[in-house]
Amino acid sequence: MSQTWKKVAVAIATAGLFATSLAACSSERDTPPAATGGATDAATDAANGGGGLIGIAMPTKALERWNRDGSHLVELLEAAGFETSLQYADNKTDQQISQIENMINDGAKVLVIASIDGTTLGPVLEQAAAKDVKVIAYDRLINETPNVDYYATFDNYKVGQLQGQFIEDALGLKDGKGPFNFEPFAGSPDDNNAKFFFQGAWDILKQYVDSGKLVVPSGKAPATDDAWKNIGILGWGSDDAQSEMENRLNSFYGGDTKVEVVLSPNDSLALGIAQALTGAGYKAGEGWPVLTGQDADQANVLNMLAGKQSMTVWKDTRALGDAVANMVEEITSGKEVTTNDNETYNNNVKVVPTLLLDPLVVTPDTVEKDLVDSGFYKASDLGL
């Protein structure tokens, strides 16, 4: 496996306070509130002329995490004296391009973009560059263009590693246990992050597939680094993941042949996979497979507590929002922008200066400590 995937994330401390309110925000352009006492440094700079319009382009409202991310960014930036335009594009690339064009024409100083397809934004970002609009790629790298200035994300290769290590430990693979029936899934082929998630996990699990300790009855074990796209679920759809899992169960399992472990790169896919398992007669606590996830979506945390998901990799998107809001303030006030990886993320045109944050494994036993005590959820949200 290529060593280009191997890297160690640099942990960072991010500025700002975590928001406890994540109310839904209008997709229309909002009017910023007046600065109040106890303003942050960003608010002070904005009040001295550093404010202005910040465009925020999110891919879809269909996934819980993007709603959280968008609302948190709006809350932070407006508290700092900026005006915001938050737009969701229903996972439609043309719609996202049109929204970004409108933000540029409205005079945005900075664009924060979580792209749907990171290879399609080159022309619209040329328009941004012509007007000296700075671009921050938010959690998904924007590819094939020189006009992306910064990238802020979690260590997505590490996300996959954590999933792979969890499977390795849960099954005792290092101790020679096995074989186990295993079904791997991958994320959306048009999402640049999906390859990092899969490669992180596959760099750990492939050795066990090769040795026969993990057996893939469906035959859907990628043979090469790029073949992960063949098992990718376009758009990260829960329904599509459910259909794919149902097909595998109906075609390759039955009788005494049971699936024992499923690699799911995120919670949306895990939700559909769990539905398929339930429909096929699998029961929590009675041979339910090891099932991974990512994002700590509420429905999945509830599944974890019910014994229908083994773990989730939590990327505290409040911390990502804090970091990006700080980067916006640094850009608009002419400060040096905080990054900690200026070597790894090549978008096929340039190496994009990147700010990496570390993810965290959450299991049913740590839900209360990690997700409730931190304020990410209320105990009542999870029936605790």
Side-chain angles (χ1 to χ4, degrees):
M1 196 63 62
S2 171
Q3 292 300 312
T4 59
W5 295 104
K6 317 289 189 183
K7 60 186 181 62
V8 178
V10 181
I12 65 162
T14 56
L17 298 175
F18 287 160
T20 56
S21 171
L22 292 167
C25 292
S26 168
S27 64
E28 298 299 320
R29 188 165 160 178
D30 298 309
T31 302
T36 59
T40 63
D41 290 342
T44 302
D45 287 339
N48 291 332
L53 177 65
I54 309 301
I56 305 167
M58 292 284 160
T60 178
K61 280 189 170 183
L63 295 183
E64 178 184 328
R65 71 146 299 186
W66 297 120
N67 292 297
R68 286 180 174 271
D69 286 46
S71 347
H72 186 52
L73 270 172
V74 165
E75 184 173 3
L76 290 171
L77 291 169
E78 292 194 347
F82 294 99
E83 185 180 0
T84 63
S85 176
L86 170 62
Q87 303 290 332
Y88 291 89
D90 302 323
N91 267 336
K92 298 174 183 175
T93 300
D94 290 346
Q95 186 172 323
Q96 185 167 64
I97 290 170
S98 177
Q99 290 170 346
I100 293 169
E101 285 179 337
N102 290 337
M103 293 174 190
I104 295 168
N105 292 333
D106 285 344
K109 286 188 172 183
V110 179
L111 296 173
V112 178
I113 302 173
S115 62
I116 297 167
D117 182 342
T119 65
T120 62
L121 299 182
V124 72
L125 295 189
E126 284 185 17
Q127 298 176 37
K131 293 191 175 183
D132 199 28
V133 180
K134 299 299 182 184
V135 174
I136 301 173
Y138 184 94
D139 204 36
R140 293 178 172 179
L141 185 60
I142 299 171
N143 291 306
E144 312 293 346
T145 174
N147 298 313
V148 53
D149 299 284
Y150 302 100
Y151 179 34
T153 190
F154 288 84
D155 187 338
N156 292 313
Y157 178 82
K158 186 173 182 179
V159 168
Q161 282 189 308
L162 292 172
Q163 293 169 342
Q165 287 165 355
F166 184 90
I167 288 172
E168 183 181 57
D169 293 342
L171 299 180
L173 293 171
K174 276 187 177 179
D175 298 327
K177 294 183 180 179
F180 300 96
N181 291 329
F182 168 52
E183 292 297 330
F185 282 72
S188 189
D190 60 1
D191 183 344
N192 188 72
N193 286 352
K195 68 179 180 182
F196 288 100
F197 299 147
F198 189 80
Q199 286 298 330
W202 207 238
D203 280 355
I204 291 169
L205 299 177
K206 185 177 184 296
Q207 61 184 308
Y208 300 113
V209 174
D210 292 343
S211 70
K213 293 300 182 182
L214 291 176
V215 178
V216 185
S218 68
K220 297 196 174 185
T224 66
D225 281 1
D226 292 333
W228 68 268
K229 293 183 178 181
N230 296 333
I231 58 169
I233 302 297
L234 187 63
W236 298 96
S238 295
D239 290 345
D240 291 336
Q242 180 175 346
S243 295
E244 173 62 21
M245 191 67 203
E246 287 171 346
N247 288 338
R248 297 190 198 184
L249 290 170
N250 292 335
S251 300
F252 304 101
Y253 294 87
D256 293 333
T257 305
K258 301 290 186 182
V259 62
E260 294 164 292
V261 55
V262 183
L263 171 66
S264 170
N266 87 332
D267 281 352
S268 179
L269 271 58
L271 201 61
I273 292 165
Q275 285 290 101
L277 290 167
T278 299
Y282 288 77
K283 296 180 180 179
E286 300 178 22
W288 190 270
V290 173
L291 175 60
T292 61
Q294 173 191 180
D295 290 331
D297 287 346
Q298 184 176 1
N300 296 79
V301 177
L302 291 170
N303 265 3
M304 287 168 58
L305 295 173
K308 291 188 174 183
Q309 186 169 321
S310 308
M311 59 87 81
T312 190
V313 179
W314 181 39
K315 302 188 302 187
D316 190 344
T317 54
R318 297 169 302 176
L320 183 60
D322 292 344
V324 169
N326 190 60
M327 293 171 81
V328 168
E329 183 274 323
E330 289 170 337
I331 290 169
T332 56
S333 61
K335 298 177 182 176
E336 182 178 354
V337 177
T338 301
T339 60
N340 57 18
D341 185 335
N342 298 319
E343 298 178 358
T344 302
Y345 291 91
N346 190 321
N347 75 350
N348 299 321
V349 175
K350 63 185 281 188
V351 174
V352 182
T354 297
L355 182 62
L356 285 179
L357 289 79
D358 274 334
L360 176 72
V361 169
V362 178
T363 65
D365 291 339
T366 66
V367 163
E368 189 164 4
K369 173 177 69 72
D370 292 331
L371 301 180
V372 176
D373 291 352
S374 71
F376 194 70
Y377 287 116
K378 297 177 181 177
S380 58
D381 294 333
L382 306 175
L384 297 173

PDB file of all heavy atoms in Angstrom, residues 223-235:
ATOM      1  N   ALA A 223      -9.610  -4.861  -5.202  1.00  0.00           N
ATOM      2  CA  ALA A 223      -8.301  -5.479  -5.448  1.00  0.00           C
ATOM      3  C   ALA A 223      -7.183  -4.444  -5.533  1.00  0.00           C
ATOM      4  O   ALA A 223      -6.013  -4.769  -5.337  1.00  0.00           O
ATOM      5  CB  ALA A 223      -8.349  -6.294  -6.733  1.00  0.00           C
ATOM      6  N   THR A 224      -7.526  -3.202  -5.834  1.00  0.00           N
ATOM      7  CA  THR A 224      -6.528  -2.141  -5.968  1.00  0.00           C
ATOM      8  C   THR A 224      -6.965  -0.914  -5.175  1.00  0.00           C
ATOM      9  O   THR A 224      -8.129  -0.816  -4.746  1.00  0.00           O
ATOM     10  CB  THR A 224      -6.337  -1.731  -7.437  1.00  0.00           C
ATOM     11  OG1 THR A 224      -7.548  -1.116  -7.912  1.00  0.00           O
ATOM     12  CG2 THR A 224      -6.002  -2.942  -8.300  1.00  0.00           C
ATOM     13  N   ASP A 225      -6.057   0.041  -5.035  1.00  0.00           N
ATOM     14  CA  ASP A 225      -6.367   1.263  -4.293  1.00  0.00           C
ATOM     15  C   ASP A 225      -7.565   2.003  -4.877  1.00  0.00           C
ATOM     16  O   ASP A 225      -8.410   2.532  -4.143  1.00  0.00           O
ATOM     17  CB  ASP A 225      -5.160   2.202  -4.289  1.00  0.00           C
ATOM     18  CG  ASP A 225      -4.114   1.789  -3.267  1.00  0.00           C
ATOM     19  OD1 ASP A 225      -4.322   0.765  -2.588  1.00  0.00           O
ATOM     20  OD2 ASP A 225      -3.096   2.487  -3.161  1.00  0.00           O
ATOM     21  N   ASP A 226      -7.645   2.072  -6.200  1.00  0.00           N
ATOM     22  CA  ASP A 226      -8.697   2.855  -6.840  1.00  0.00           C
ATOM     23  C   ASP A 226     -10.015   2.108  -6.954  1.00  0.00           C
ATOM     24  O   ASP A 226     -11.055   2.716  -7.245  1.00  0.00           O
ATOM     25  CB  ASP A 226      -8.247   3.300  -8.235  1.00  0.00           C
ATOM     26  CG  ASP A 226      -7.115   4.323  -8.182  1.00  0.00           C
ATOM     27  OD1 ASP A 226      -7.038   5.038  -7.163  1.00  0.00           O
ATOM     28  OD2 ASP A 226      -6.330   4.392  -9.145  1.00  0.00           O
ATOM     29  N   ALA A 227     -10.004   0.796  -6.739  1.00  0.00           N
ATOM     30  CA  ALA A 227     -11.215  -0.010  -6.935  1.00  0.00           C
ATOM     31  C   ALA A 227     -12.254   0.202  -5.841  1.00  0.00           C
ATOM     32  O   ALA A 227     -13.364  -0.322  -5.943  1.00  0.00           O
ATOM     33  CB  ALA A 227     -10.857  -1.486  -7.039  1.00  0.00           C
ATOM     34  N   TRP A 228     -11.933   0.974  -4.813  1.00  0.00           N
ATOM     35  CA  TRP A 228     -12.930   1.259  -3.768  1.00  0.00           C
ATOM     36  C   TRP A 228     -14.177   1.910  -4.362  1.00  0.00           C
ATOM     37  O   TRP A 228     -15.286   1.740  -3.828  1.00  0.00           O
ATOM     38  CB  TRP A 228     -12.334   2.167  -2.684  1.00  0.00           C
ATOM     39  CG  TRP A 228     -12.037   3.568  -3.138  1.00  0.00           C
ATOM     40  CD1 TRP A 228     -10.862   4.019  -3.647  1.00  0.00           C
ATOM     41  CD2 TRP A 228     -12.931   4.682  -3.127  1.00  0.00           C
ATOM     42  NE1 TRP A 228     -10.965   5.362  -3.968  1.00  0.00           N
ATOM     43  CE2 TRP A 228     -12.220   5.792  -3.654  1.00  0.00           C
ATOM     44  CE3 TRP A 228     -14.244   4.866  -2.735  1.00  0.00           C
ATOM     45  CZ2 TRP A 228     -12.797   7.056  -3.793  1.00  0.00           C
ATOM     46  CZ3 TRP A 228     -14.838   6.123  -2.874  1.00  0.00           C
ATOM     47  CH2 TRP A 228     -14.111   7.200  -3.393  1.00  0.00           C
ATOM     48  N   LYS A 229     -14.018   2.619  -5.462  1.00  0.00           N
ATOM     49  CA  LYS A 229     -15.173   3.297  -6.063  1.00  0.00           C
ATOM     50  C   LYS A 229     -16.237   2.305  -6.514  1.00  0.00           C
ATOM     51  O   LYS A 229     -17.418   2.658  -6.620  1.00  0.00           O
ATOM     52  CB  LYS A 229     -14.722   4.158  -7.239  1.00  0.00           C
ATOM     53  CG  LYS A 229     -13.860   5.347  -6.828  1.00  0.00           C
ATOM     54  CD  LYS A 229     -13.501   6.216  -8.023  1.00  0.00           C
ATOM     55  CE  LYS A 229     -12.671   7.423  -7.594  1.00  0.00           C
ATOM     56  NZ  LYS A 229     -12.323   8.293  -8.752  1.00  0.00           N
ATOM     57  N   ASN A 230     -15.827   1.065  -6.784  1.00  0.00           N
ATOM     58  CA  ASN A 230     -16.783   0.051  -7.234  1.00  0.00           C
ATOM     59  C   ASN A 230     -17.783  -0.339  -6.147  1.00  0.00           C
ATOM     60  O   ASN A 230     -18.844  -0.897  -6.453  1.00  0.00           O
ATOM     61  CB  ASN A 230     -16.045  -1.201  -7.715  1.00  0.00           C
ATOM     62  CG  ASN A 230     -15.175  -0.934  -8.929  1.00  0.00           C
ATOM     63  OD1 ASN A 230     -15.437  -0.025  -9.713  1.00  0.00           O
ATOM     64  ND2 ASN A 230     -14.118  -1.726  -9.095  1.00  0.00           N
ATOM     65  N   ILE A 231     -17.434  -0.080  -4.889  1.00  0.00           N
ATOM     66  CA  ILE A 231     -18.375  -0.373  -3.803  1.00  0.00           C
ATOM     67  C   ILE A 231     -18.840   0.917  -3.128  1.00  0.00           C
ATOM     68  O   ILE A 231     -19.400   0.882  -2.029  1.00  0.00           O
ATOM     69  CB  ILE A 231     -17.756  -1.343  -2.768  1.00  0.00           C
ATOM     70  CG1 ILE A 231     -16.459  -0.772  -2.169  1.00  0.00           C
ATOM     71  CG2 ILE A 231     -17.495  -2.701  -3.389  1.00  0.00           C
ATOM     72  CD1 ILE A 231     -15.961  -1.559  -0.968  1.00  0.00           C
ATOM     73  N   GLY A 232     -18.606   2.053  -3.778  1.00  0.00           N
ATOM     74  CA  GLY A 232     -19.033   3.336  -3.228  1.00  0.00           C
ATOM     75  C   GLY A 232     -20.533   3.537  -3.386  1.00  0.00           C
ATOM     76  O   GLY A 232     -21.133   3.110  -4.373  1.00  0.00           O
ATOM     77  N   ILE A 233     -21.137   4.198  -2.420  1.00  0.00           N
ATOM     78  CA  ILE A 233     -22.562   4.514  -2.451  1.00  0.00           C
ATOM     79  C   ILE A 233     -22.703   5.987  -2.824  1.00  0.00           C
ATOM     80  O   ILE A 233     -22.402   6.880  -2.031  1.00  0.00           O
ATOM     81  CB  ILE A 233     -23.229   4.235  -1.093  1.00  0.00           C
ATOM     82  CG1 ILE A 233     -23.030   2.775  -0.684  1.00  0.00           C
ATOM     83  CG2 ILE A 233     -24.705   4.602  -1.148  1.00  0.00           C
ATOM     84  CD1 ILE A 233     -23.676   1.770  -1.610  1.00  0.00           C
ATOM     85  N   LEU A 234     -23.133   6.252  -4.047  1.00  0.00           N
ATOM     86  CA  LEU A 234     -23.207   7.620  -4.557  1.00  0.00           C
ATOM     87  C   LEU A 234     -24.138   8.473  -3.691  1.00  0.00           C
ATOM     88  O   LEU A 234     -25.268   8.075  -3.391  1.00  0.00           O
ATOM     89  CB  LEU A 234     -23.696   7.615  -5.999  1.00  0.00           C
ATOM     90  CG  LEU A 234     -23.668   8.961  -6.732  1.00  0.00           C
ATOM     91  CD1 LEU A 234     -22.240   9.471  -6.859  1.00  0.00           C
ATOM     92  CD2 LEU A 234     -24.314   8.832  -8.108  1.00  0.00           C
ATOM     93  N   GLY A 235     -23.634   9.641  -3.302  1.00  0.00           N
ATOM     94  CA  GLY A 235     -24.436  10.562  -2.501  1.00  0.00           C
ATOM     95  C   GLY A 235     -24.610  10.166  -1.052  1.00  0.00           C
ATOM     96  O   GLY A 235     -25.372  10.798  -0.325  1.00  0.00           O
TER      97      GLY A 235
END
